[in-house]
Amino acid sequence: MKQVISKLLLFFILLVGFETLNAQTKLPSILSDNMLLQQSADVKIWGWDAPGQSIVVNPSWTKSVKTTTNKEGKWQVLVSTPKAAKTGKLKITGSTKLTINNVLFGEVWLCSGQSNMERQLGFQNHQKPIVNFWEESQKATYPSIRMFLVKKKKSNTPLEDCEGEWVECTPETVLKFSAVGYFYGKQLVDNLKIPVGLIQSAWGGTKVEPWTPIEGVEKAALENGGQKRFSNLYNGMISPIINYKIKGAIWYQGESNVSNWKEYKTLFPNMITSWRAQWNIGDFPFYFVQIAPYNYPDKYGVAQIVEAQLEALELPNTGVAGTQDIGAIYDIHPPEKKEVGRRLSLVSLHKTYGKNDVIYSGPTLKSYKTEGQKLVLNFETLGSKLHSVGAAMGKISAFYISGENKTFHKANVKQEGNKMILSSPKVSKPVAVRYNWSNNANGTLYNKEGLPALPFRTDNWDEVFYAE
């Protein structure tokens, strides 16, 4: 019996020793050299090691923090970060020692969505070049901009890690990063004079459903496509970075949901709300891009998705950047990405960073009324005057009006200050107006800052007739 016990004890000692020799302190890929941490915040630093292992996290900018791994070998600590300042380093000591070098502090933004967000600044197959991409890339030596590209990954269950690495912005690295994300970040750096970290997690041709945590997908919708295709991009490309402190998110998506735009009205805000719940840092800023004009083959398209997006503005801390005038009806990937990034930055500068002098929105319809055979629209333009280029752009009419018969006709347009007077000899008593309510319409209303009005309608009719 003693020999058996001795052998078991020896085996146990050897086993423990083997595990100790093979234990290794591991970090998620998003905690790596060149990373940018959210400034003036308590940020999470986390990883894995042997169960019961003592972990010491020693930042160069503040006091060290100690913890012990749990029975699953996981550990996590909070580290206070300074205001945007010089770079630092982070030492982690567990069963092995690790050092994260060239750590910067500033504002961290997540850049997500489908192909128009994924679209890199450099050449991409089957797409037109981004406007001025070469000139923009060659001057993009900005150590204060850090970029992390999440590798594409689908998963049926939430993952704890992803593939990717932080890089400094250079003429070479920027060509492989989201054009919209880069131009957005560059505007923040130029205007705020602080570093910016950008995390790209995007995949072309995707609906909103795969990006939504399973808790945020409607039960009815879930029961109709099956669970696997829902949430698999959230699981593979968002879940691994949930611990990483962000300032906010920018989003460019919706093109793939034109066929189920009614469900999008629920799914899109559900995604926003569920992301916020998962991050657990409050209602962080979430700013999105209106999908641009395009000749979709489906019955429903741009206008309905834009309407769904606008309804999401009822959520706190949200904002939208218009693209009605910079789209290309022949190209679902408009090449003017710098202006998209700039317009997103205007929303952020005003709403997140308190730049009250920054105008971030185009004209919005304030009220309307029928006056005899005319329909009078009154616009709000955030302090600047309304600018109209007429009733149509490229012979595509922007304004249509209808009587009670729900038949829409092209409208004659007259501007009086911030009012637009609409009429048609074929509509004796107009009661409804639609502006740019079609896939191929273009912007004709602006404020003096050059920001367009978004498509709108004053009716809620599903079935209508367009006479012309």
Side-chain angles (χ1 to χ4, degrees):
M1 179 62 72
K2 290 183 178 179
Q3 288 181 337
V4 173
I5 294 176
S6 297
K7 287 181 179 180
L8 288 174
L9 182 60
L10 178 61
F11 175 77
F12 177 75
I13 293 173
L14 289 173
L15 181 62
V16 172
F18 180 79
E19 289 186 349
T20 302
L21 288 172
N22 285 275
Q24 186 177 6
T25 309
K26 295 181 181 179
L27 298 173
S29 61
I30 200 165
L31 298 180
S32 59
D33 290 349
N34 307 312
M35 70 178 178
L36 187 143
L37 295 175
Q38 181 61 39
Q39 66 167 339
S40 303
D42 290 330
V43 303
K44 294 178 182 177
I45 304 296
W46 73 100
W48 305 269
D49 210 320
Q53 174 66 50
S54 175
I55 302 290
V56 179
V57 177
N58 186 16
S60 62
W61 59 88
T62 189
K63 62 182 180 180
S64 61
V65 184
K66 298 180 181 179
T67 190
T68 303
T69 59
N70 63 17
K71 62 182 180 180
E72 297 176 335
K74 299 178 182 180
W75 61 269
Q76 176 180 295
V77 298
L78 289 178
V79 172
S80 297
T81 58
K83 290 183 179 179
K86 297 180 180 179
T87 57
K89 65 173 57 176
L90 191 64
K91 294 182 179 180
I92 297 96
T93 302
S95 57
T96 54
K97 294 182 179 180
L98 298 173
T99 301
I100 302 177
N101 295 301
N102 196 26
V103 179
L104 200 56
F105 310 96
E107 298 294 277
V108 181
W109 285 86
L110 173 64
C111 313
S112 190
Q114 58 179 111
S115 56
N116 274 306
M117 182 62 80
E118 180 189 4
R119 178 61 164 96
Q120 62 187 32
L121 183 60
F123 271 117
Q124 192 156 318
N125 289 340
H126 313 300
Q127 295 187 29
K128 282 197 169 187
I130 300 297
V131 174
N132 293 333
F133 84 97
W134 187 250
E135 177 187 13
E136 295 291 346
S137 67
Q138 293 310 291
K139 60 184 181 182
T141 301
Y142 301 112
S144 60
I145 297 179
R146 304 292 172 86
M147 304 178 297
F148 186 94
L149 176 58
V150 178
K151 187 176 180 179
K152 293 179 180 178
K153 179 77 172 181
K154 296 179 182 179
S155 176
N156 292 334
T157 56
L159 301 182
E160 295 183 327
D161 201 3
C162 61
E163 292 185 52
E165 63 178 347
W166 283 100
V167 295
E168 292 188 359
C169 182
T170 68
E172 293 76 30
T173 59
V174 75
L175 288 172
K176 300 177 182 179
F177 198 77
S178 164
V180 169
Y182 164 68
F183 287 126
Y184 172 79
K186 177 64 166 52
Q187 287 290 326
L188 294 190
V189 169
D190 289 345
N191 285 275
L192 301 175
K193 309 302 180 186
I194 56 176
V196 169
L198 303 167
I199 303 171
Q200 177 186 335
S201 183
W203 194 324
T206 55
K207 291 189 172 186
V208 73
E209 292 92 327
W211 293 104
T212 306
I214 204 66
E215 298 84 358
V217 181
E218 279 191 305
K219 186 175 185 293
L222 181 62
E223 291 173 348
N224 294 328
Q227 185 170 346
K228 287 186 178 180
R229 73 183 186 90
F230 288 97
S231 307
N232 59 6
L233 297 184
Y234 169 82
N235 292 338
M237 300 176 65
I238 299 296
S239 176
I241 60 175
I242 286 294
N243 279 338
Y244 203 83
K245 189 75 170 277
I246 62 173
K247 183 68 173 184
I250 55 174
W251 175 262
Y252 196 163
Q253 188 273 340
E255 297 91 343
S256 290
N257 282 100
V258 293
S259 61
N260 67 326
W261 62 272
K262 288 186 177 180
E263 291 82 4
Y264 195 79
K265 288 189 173 188
T266 300
L267 289 167
F268 182 45
N270 279 0
M271 190 206 76
I272 299 173
T273 302
S274 57
W275 276 22
R276 287 171 168 173
Q278 294 295 327
W279 250 282
N280 196 27
I281 55 174
D283 292 332
F284 60 77
F286 192 100
Y287 304 136
F288 46 91
V289 183
Q290 166 211 333
I291 66 171
Y294 179 69
N295 274 327
Y296 290 95
D298 303 299
K299 180 180 179 181
Y300 301 107
V302 174
Q304 287 77 17
I305 290 293
V306 171
E307 184 175 64
Q309 290 176 321
L310 293 180
E311 290 182 10
L313 293 177
E314 296 177 8
L315 294 176
N317 234 0
T318 53
V320 63
T323 61
Q324 195 67 21
D325 58 326
I326 55 175
I329 61 174
Y330 56 85
D331 189 353
I332 201 170
H333 304 112
E336 184 51 88
K337 293 293 191 281
K338 184 175 184 178
E339 182 62 9
V340 175
R342 187 187 78 89
R343 291 180 182 181
L344 276 171
S345 74
L346 297 178
V347 180
S348 186
L349 290 170
H350 182 97
K351 295 175 73 73
T352 298
Y353 297 106
K355 302 287 186 180
N356 293 326
D357 58 330
V358 173
I359 303 300
Y360 68 95
S361 172
T364 55
L365 182 64
K366 185 178 181 180
S367 62
Y368 69 99
K369 62 180 178 179
T370 300
E371 292 185 356
Q373 293 184 317
K374 298 178 181 180
L375 201 62
V376 181
L377 311 181
N378 187 26
F379 287 87
E380 185 173 13
T381 53
L382 296 179
S384 62
K385 293 182 179 180
L386 182 68
H387 176 71
S388 171
V389 300
M393 176 61 67
K395 297 183 179 180
I396 301 175
S397 294
F399 289 97
Y400 281 80
I401 58 175
S402 171
E404 296 285 358
N405 61 0
K406 301 182 181 179
T407 299
F408 282 88
H409 296 269
K410 294 178 181 178
N412 298 317
V413 173
K414 180 182 178 182
Q415 181 181 1
E416 293 182 0
N418 273 11
K419 295 180 179 180
M420 299 297 293
I421 315 298
L422 311 181
S423 63
S424 169
K426 299 178 181 179
V427 182
S428 58
K429 186 179 179 181
V431 298
V433 57
R434 293 184 172 189
Y435 169 73
N436 275 354
W437 203 256
S438 64
N439 288 336
N440 61 356
N442 205 335
T444 63
L445 290 180
Y446 296 83
N447 55 19
K448 72 175 184 180
E449 291 80 14
L451 299 176
L454 300 179
F456 65 83
R457 62 173 176 169
T458 61
D459 65 273
N460 59 1
W461 304 329
D462 287 336
E463 299 297 330
V464 299
F465 178 72
Y466 283 83
E468 299 99 8

